[in-house]
């Protein structure tokens, strides 16, 4: 089958797609519809075969990316490798692509390990395009848009806030955390242990991971139907340089959750449930402990009665008031930590808790997810006037199709792959931080797939 790439009729392009996560299918389907022949590679052949089912022009293989010879053999057969596996494995793929002179696309942040390979990437004459999913990805496309427009008009960005949340739709949020898992509960909870660093009013501030939930505050997006709280996420300080806004005194990138989330998580942290220490009483057993007995051991409570467990919690955690205490204890009760139900033992408090959360807080059939992303710019125009401008994306999942998160990560990735195949992106280690890279990607996402942020001036 002949397809057109870059204005020329060519033989079908070929891609190797590595990964089995929920964002793979939108990318795979987009490439198939564009006539790209895609080999889907997973550790287990069954996972790859499931992804390829009913998708034209695809084939499934089993592949271990740590097997250099096997990886090189498969990468060498294609025009582009798409790495949708955990970020720690991206360097294996990039090194293989360097050896075989094949382009690469990932949705992950450009890591120090990737930067170490930059000269080799350039010498090989290949493109390695990163950070093209949702966050990172779509967020960059619209940050760069407004920043470039303001700078071209002689203005300045005085403050930049960017918050994103992947959440259940409101009607699916009926649990104490207001959250459901479409991915690893462990990954979400561990992210809460990362130190946040940002610029605020000209000063550099840091918040240790254990204190993140204490700085979470209600956040007004202008969309009054949502009761969000926001907290900073990881290190925002490099974005002063990445976004070319040296004039900005405040730069904060963070996470959105529904109200009630921080209070419960803060208590879970103080209880010791994010500990990764192994305990004999949490190791897999044919006769696992009840949750109340496990909770008593973790807390070192005097007994497993709810009264004594609540007292032990109060000795480790400070509640702001009685209403908060009642909300949190009710949430812990809902999770099952005071119950006679058996734990799903996973050796550590963190992993044992995650096993229960993933069971109790999975999406049900026909439930929708929600992605809410908003940038807020404080702008000083050339004439001295000030403006607050927002760029907002509010996207719901389709129970009969893709989740919002899968669509908003997978589609941008697929669009970037096509642009790489068409030769529209330059060679080297890339990420969407310039208008030259961002504008075509943003236009294609808006015009072809209806993915865009709505811009408004706040009155």
């Amino acid at each position: 089958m002949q397809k057109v790439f870059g204005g020329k009729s060519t033989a079908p392009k070929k891609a190797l797609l590595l990964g089995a996560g929920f964002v793979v299918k939108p990318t795979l389907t987009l490439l198939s519809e564009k006539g790209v022949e895609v080999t889907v590679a997973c550790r287990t052949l069954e996972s790859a075969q499931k992804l390829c089912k009913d998708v034209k022009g695809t084939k499934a293989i089993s592949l271990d990316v740590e097997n250099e010879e096997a990886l090189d053999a498969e990468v060498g057969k294609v025009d582009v490798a798409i790495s949708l596996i955990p970020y720690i494995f991206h360097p294996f793929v990039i090194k293989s692509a360097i050896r075989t002179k094949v382009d690469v696309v990932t949705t992950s942040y450009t890591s120090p390990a990737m930067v170490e390979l930059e000269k080799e990437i350039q010498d090989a004459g290949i493109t390695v395009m990163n950070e093209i999913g949702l966050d990172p990805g779509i967020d960059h496309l619209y940050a760069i848009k407004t920043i470039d427009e303001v700078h071209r008009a002689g203005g300045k960005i005085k403050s930049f806030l960017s918050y994103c949340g992947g959440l259940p739709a409101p009607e699916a949020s009926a649990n104490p955390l207001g959250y459901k898992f479409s991915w690893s509960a462990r990954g979400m909870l561990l992210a809460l242990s990362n130190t946040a660093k940002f610029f605020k009013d000209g000063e550099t501030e840091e918040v240790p991971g254990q204190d993140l939930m204490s700085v979470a505050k209600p956040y007004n997006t202008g969309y009054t139907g949502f009761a969000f709280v926001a907290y900073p996420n990881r290190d925002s300080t490099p974005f002063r340089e990445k976004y070319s806004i040296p004039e900005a005194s405040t730069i904060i990138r963070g996470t959105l959750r529904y109200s009630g989330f921080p209070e419960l998580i803060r208590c879970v942290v103080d209880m010791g449930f994010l500990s990764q220490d192994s305990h004999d009483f949490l190791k897999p057993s044919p006769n696992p402990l009840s949750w109340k007995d496990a909770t008593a051991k973790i807390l070192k409570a005097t007994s497993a009665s709810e009264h004594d467990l609540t007292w032990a919690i109060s000795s480790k955690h400070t509640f702001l008031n009685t209403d908060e205490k009642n909300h949190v204890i009710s949430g812990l009760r809902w999770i099952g930590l005071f119950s006679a139900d058996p734990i799903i033992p996973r050796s550590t408090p963190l992993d044992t808790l995650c096993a229960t959360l993933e069971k109790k807080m999975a999406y049900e059939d026909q439930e929708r997810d929600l992605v809410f992303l908003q940038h807020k710019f404080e702008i000083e125009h050339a004439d001295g006037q000030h403006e607050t401008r927002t760029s907002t994306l509010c996207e719901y999942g389709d129970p009969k199709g893709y989740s919002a998160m899968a669509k908003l990560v997978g589609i941008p990735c697929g669009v970037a792959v096509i642009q790489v195949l068409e030769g529209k992106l330059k060679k080297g280690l890339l990420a969407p931080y310039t208008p030259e890279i961002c504008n075509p990607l943003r236009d294609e996402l808006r015009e072809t797939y209806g993915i865009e942020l709505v811009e408004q001036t706040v009155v």
Side-chain angles (χ1 to χ4, degrees):
M1 179 173 61
Q2 299 287 308
K3 285 292 169 182
V4 175
F5 280 92
K8 297 179 181 179
S9 181
T10 67
K13 296 289 186 177
K14 297 181 179 180
L16 175 67
L17 200 166
L18 299 146
F22 69 100
V23 304
V24 169
K25 198 60 176 276
T27 304
L28 178 63
T29 302
L30 184 154
L31 296 177
S32 171
E33 290 172 349
K34 294 288 187 178
V36 180
E37 295 180 356
V38 185
T39 299
V40 178
C42 304
R43 280 187 179 272
T44 60
L45 181 61
E46 183 180 7
S47 296
Q49 289 173 330
K50 184 178 179 181
L51 286 165
C52 291
K53 184 179 180 182
D54 300 325
V55 183
K56 293 181 180 179
T58 63
K59 70 174 181 178
I61 63 170
S62 172
L63 182 64
D64 179 359
V65 297
E66 294 181 272
N67 183 330
E68 185 176 298
E69 183 179 354
L71 181 60
D72 283 359
E74 295 302 329
V75 173
K77 296 176 184 176
V78 300
D79 301 291
V80 61
I82 307 149
S83 189
L84 297 178
I85 52 182
Y87 76 94
I88 58 172
F89 296 111
H90 293 331
F92 292 101
V93 179
I94 295 170
K95 288 175 183 178
S96 179
I98 290 168
R99 291 190 292 267
T100 55
K101 293 184 167 47
V102 168
D103 298 325
V104 178
V105 175
T106 88
T107 59
S108 301
Y109 283 106
T110 304
S111 67
M114 294 181 189
V115 174
E116 288 179 5
L117 298 171
E118 186 166 12
K119 186 177 186 305
E120 294 177 58
I121 290 168
Q122 291 172 339
D123 291 345
I126 64 173
T127 297
V128 177
M129 176 65 176
N130 298 305
E131 304 188 34
I132 188 58
L134 167 64
D135 177 3
I138 294 172
D139 57 344
H140 296 334
L141 304 184
Y142 280 85
I144 295 300
K145 177 181 184 294
T146 296
I147 291 167
D148 184 55
E149 289 172 353
V150 169
H151 284 172
R152 284 177 179 273
K156 298 177 180 179
I157 303 294
K158 304 302 289 182
S159 171
F160 174 76
L161 306 178
S162 179
Y163 291 102
C164 186
L167 298 158
E171 75 275 8
S173 65
N175 67 59
L177 282 171
Y179 195 83
K180 292 203 170 180
F181 294 101
S182 57
W183 63 302
S184 162
R186 192 177 204 271
M188 186 277 279
L189 291 174
L190 282 179
L192 299 174
S193 64
N194 293 315
T195 295
K197 186 177 180 182
F198 49 91
F199 296 119
K200 185 175 181 182
D201 298 328
E203 301 292 331
T204 302
E205 297 192 11
E206 288 194 29
V207 179
Q210 65 266 25
D211 297 332
L212 265 187
M213 295 300 97
S214 298
V215 301
K217 295 289 187 292
Y219 188 71
N220 180 15
T221 63
Y223 291 72
T224 55
F226 294 108
F228 290 131
V229 293
Y231 54 90
N233 180 20
R234 298 183 184 268
D235 188 358
S236 299
T237 60
F239 289 89
R240 180 177 273 173
E241 179 180 352
K242 290 177 184 291
Y243 284 169
S244 299
I245 46 174
E247 72 275 21
S249 60
T250 296
I251 300 174
I252 305 174
R253 288 162 47 91
T255 300
L256 292 175
R257 294 287 181 257
Y258 289 129
S259 62
F261 179 93
E263 295 84 356
L264 187 50
I265 291 295
R266 192 164 56 89
C267 184
V268 167
V269 171
D270 288 348
M271 289 170 67
F273 271 97
L274 297 197
S275 169
Q276 299 180 66
D277 294 337
S278 181
H279 296 282
D280 288 341
F281 63 87
L282 295 178
K283 289 182 177 176
S285 162
N287 297 301
L289 289 177
S290 69
W291 254 119
K292 63 181 180 180
D293 288 329
T295 300
K297 286 181 176 291
I298 291 169
L299 290 172
K300 296 182 172 58
T302 54
S303 84
S305 71
E306 183 169 327
H307 176 272
D308 287 343
L309 292 177
T310 301
W311 187 91
I313 291 167
S314 297
S315 71
K316 292 177 176 289
H317 177 75
T318 301
F319 296 102
L320 296 180
N321 51 53
T322 302
D323 285 345
E324 180 183 287
K325 181 178 179 179
N326 290 339
H327 164 73
V328 170
I329 295 301
S330 175
L332 298 175
R333 188 182 298 116
W334 181 90
I335 292 170
L337 301 191
F338 307 148
S339 74
D341 296 339
I343 62 171
I344 304 171
R346 294 288 187 269
S347 298
T348 72
L350 171 66
D351 293 305
T352 302
L353 176 64
C354 287
T356 290
L357 292 180
E358 289 173 359
K359 181 179 179 181
K360 293 203 70 167
M361 298 171 64
Y363 281 93
E364 302 287 343
D365 289 343
Q366 303 306 308
E367 286 188 337
R368 305 184 299 169
D369 70 326
L370 163 72
V371 166
F372 196 99
L373 165 65
Q374 186 179 79
H375 299 323
K376 186 177 289 185
F377 307 87
E378 297 294 340
I379 300 166
E380 182 182 295
H381 292 287
D383 62 4
Q385 294 199 32
H386 290 257
E387 175 192 358
T388 300
R389 188 183 304 175
T390 60
S391 297
T392 307
L393 172 65
C394 181
E395 180 88 21
Y396 288 92
D398 178 0
K400 297 180 181 179
Y402 301 135
S403 70
M405 185 63 73
K407 173 184 174 180
L408 295 175
V409 176
I411 296 297
C413 177
V415 168
V417 171
I418 295 299
Q419 293 201 355
V420 168
L421 290 172
E422 292 179 338
K424 292 181 177 178
L425 293 175
K426 64 183 181 180
K427 302 302 181 183
L429 183 63
L430 308 179
Y433 290 115
T434 65
E436 292 74 23
I437 294 176
C438 291
N439 293 352
L441 289 164
R442 189 178 59 249
D443 291 346
E444 178 69 7
L445 288 170
R446 183 186 68 252
E447 294 167 7
T448 304
Y449 300 98
I451 296 173
E452 65 178 322
L453 272 63
V454 175
E455 299 176 324
Q456 292 180 314
T457 294
V458 179
V459 178

